[in-house]
Amino acid sequence: MAFLEDWIPMGNDELGHADMKLDVLNFTSRTDVQTSTSWGAPIIWDGMFIPEAYEQIHRTAHTSVALTVFAVGKYLDVYLKDLLVSSQIYFMVGIPVTYYVFTDVPEKVPAIYLAPGREVKVMPVKHHSRWQDISMMRMMFIRDAIDSQIQHHHQYVFCMDVDQVFRGHFGTEVLADSVALLHAHYYFRSRKEFTYDRNPKSLAYMADTQGDFYYHASVFGGSWQSVRKITDTCYRTIMGDKENGVEALWQDESHLNKYFWEHKPSKVLSPEYCWDTNIRFRTDIHIQRLIWQEKHYKELRNKEN
Ligand code: GAL
């Protein structure tokens, strides 16, 4: 059991983000994993923080969070309800959250019980026949929603895939200026195995000598200002590729990885924050906060969606 004195209050981080001043993290509580990056950003693992301390800070600061999620075609039927319902119990408990649900079938958004201070905003989007396009265009839709709505109501934005479900605490400890997630399949691998885009014609291209971590696009976030920059830049590089007839290996995820190589995230989330239960036991994973749902790619990624 750590005493409060053991918890080291951080100063302004190297990147000068004011929000880091409030952080209380114990970097030495975990000796089995890397708890900070080479540029000084914390990597958040179970045991490094006291959830209540963060909650208190953010309640006092009247922090409000926007969670964006794309539920297009059958993805809405299969996944949306589980994500929304489970988030009432685990996601940013005690803090106001607005869910921005982007969908081509607004009438199908399920009516669910929402905890106090929570609301769902349905954002109609046009259907794209290729799932790759849906995935890439979300960068544009998120940017536009930040401009039209989010910036007026929320300090922070988190962007999540719909095919996942909360299973454990996922709270205000994740909030920071820009936040990236370690991919569950790659955090224990070497850089040469990372699935960055390797096509020099793509704007997402990364050379063998580049890259810090392989980040998963299923969760990213930060202040609205940072998420606006992330989504705007990725949208532009994706469109640049389209004009050249190129598509990056993992679409928006490749572009996001390139972005975070060039603009280091100020906080990194361990794979506890999006775990694939198909990866069996690993001693470093003490808690599964959000887990992948079964993908059903064959049924979901056909043209009729
Ligand atoms: C897979 C995942 C994809 C993508 C890929 C990158 O496990 O399902 O969405 O992230 O890894 O290699």
Side-chain angles (χ1 to χ4, degrees):
M1 178 69 200
F3 294 102
L4 207 55
E5 300 87 84
D6 296 336
W7 298 74
I8 307 159
M10 289 180 67
N12 248 10
D13 70 339
E14 278 172 13
L15 308 171
H17 301 306
D19 59 298
M20 302 296 284
K21 269 192 261 176
L22 304 170
D23 285 7
V24 182
L25 285 169
N26 185 342
F27 289 90
T28 54
S29 63
R30 292 289 297 263
T31 50
D32 58 330
V33 289
Q34 187 183 343
T35 57
S36 67
T37 66
S38 58
W39 61 94
I43 308 178
I44 309 296
W45 291 89
D46 185 49
M48 288 174 64
F49 61 94
I50 302 173
E52 294 75 21
Y54 273 97
E55 219 178 288
Q56 187 56 43
I57 289 163
H58 284 284
R59 274 183 202 244
T60 311
H62 300 290
T63 298
S64 164
V65 176
L67 177 62
T68 70
V69 54
F70 281 70
V72 173
K74 289 185 201 152
Y75 275 79
L76 187 145
D77 303 325
V78 180
Y79 299 118
L80 183 64
K81 193 169 179 187
D82 284 354
L83 181 75
L84 293 181
V85 169
S86 62
S87 81
Q88 307 303 314
I89 310 166
Y90 297 117
F91 182 70
M92 303 285 164
V93 171
I95 299 294
V97 175
T98 300
Y99 303 90
Y100 289 82
V101 176
F102 296 80
T103 183
D104 57 335
V105 278
E107 68 285 357
K108 283 194 175 175
V109 174
I112 59 148
Y113 164 79
L114 291 166
R118 303 200 164 207
E119 63 173 323
V120 172
K121 284 192 181 170
V122 179
M123 313 289 284
V125 296
K126 210 176 99 256
H127 182 83
H128 287 268
S129 58
R130 292 176 69 244
W131 64 265
Q132 293 92 337
D133 288 329
I134 296 168
S135 184
M136 293 190 293
M137 293 309 279
R138 74 179 173 143
M139 293 294 183
M140 179 198 78
F141 285 117
I142 295 169
R143 180 200 64 189
D144 292 351
I146 290 172
D147 288 348
S148 63
Q149 302 196 38
I150 292 173
Q151 63 163 322
H152 303 298
H153 306 290
H154 314 280
Q155 295 92 327
Y156 294 98
V157 191
F158 265 76
C159 310
M160 288 194 187
D161 282 354
V162 70
D163 52 353
Q164 35 202 11
V165 60
F166 290 94
R167 282 281 183 270
H169 172 90
F170 192 127
T172 49
E173 72 280 358
V174 305
L175 299 175
D177 190 56
S178 69
V179 185
L181 165 78
L182 298 184
H183 195 298
H185 290 199
Y186 297 99
Y187 76 103
F188 50 86
R189 297 186 193 278
S190 63
R191 185 164 62 186
K192 64 178 189 313
E193 295 176 89
F194 294 171
T195 52
Y196 294 141
D197 187 80
R198 303 295 186 190
N199 175 2
K201 291 197 179 116
S202 169
L203 293 168
Y205 168 74
M206 289 179 60
D208 289 348
T209 51
Q210 297 179 317
D212 303 300
F213 300 101
Y214 190 77
Y215 302 113
H216 197 177
S218 59
V219 177
F220 64 95
S223 65
W224 69 257
Q225 293 90 336
S226 288
V227 178
R228 193 189 185 285
K229 277 190 208 127
I230 295 168
T231 50
D232 184 53
T233 305
C234 289
Y235 175 62
R236 286 168 193 273
T237 53
I238 287 166
M239 292 317 281
D241 272 6
K242 269 198 186 294
E243 275 158 32
N244 295 326
V246 191
E247 187 169 289
L249 181 64
W250 284 101
Q251 297 84 31
D252 51 330
E253 184 168 278
S254 302
H255 290 270
L256 188 69
N257 269 281
K258 179 72 176 268
Y259 183 91
F260 281 134
W261 162 243
E262 293 179 337
H263 312 83
K264 308 294 187 208
S266 54
K267 197 171 259 186
V268 174
L269 305 182
S270 70
E272 294 163 5
Y273 287 89
C274 191
W275 187 244
D276 179 5
T277 51
N278 288 312
I279 304 171
R280 297 292 168 178
F281 183 69
R282 281 194 57 91
T283 52
D284 50 7
I285 301 297
H286 298 175
I287 175 172
Q288 300 170 2
R289 304 173 186 282
L290 179 73
I291 58 168
W292 303 21
Q293 292 263 51
E294 223 185 299
K295 300 274 178 201
H296 307 298
Y297 281 150
K298 262 202 197 118
E299 303 86 67
L300 292 172
R301 286 188 169 175
N302 60 34
K303 285 228 158 95
E304 287 74 52
N305 293 327

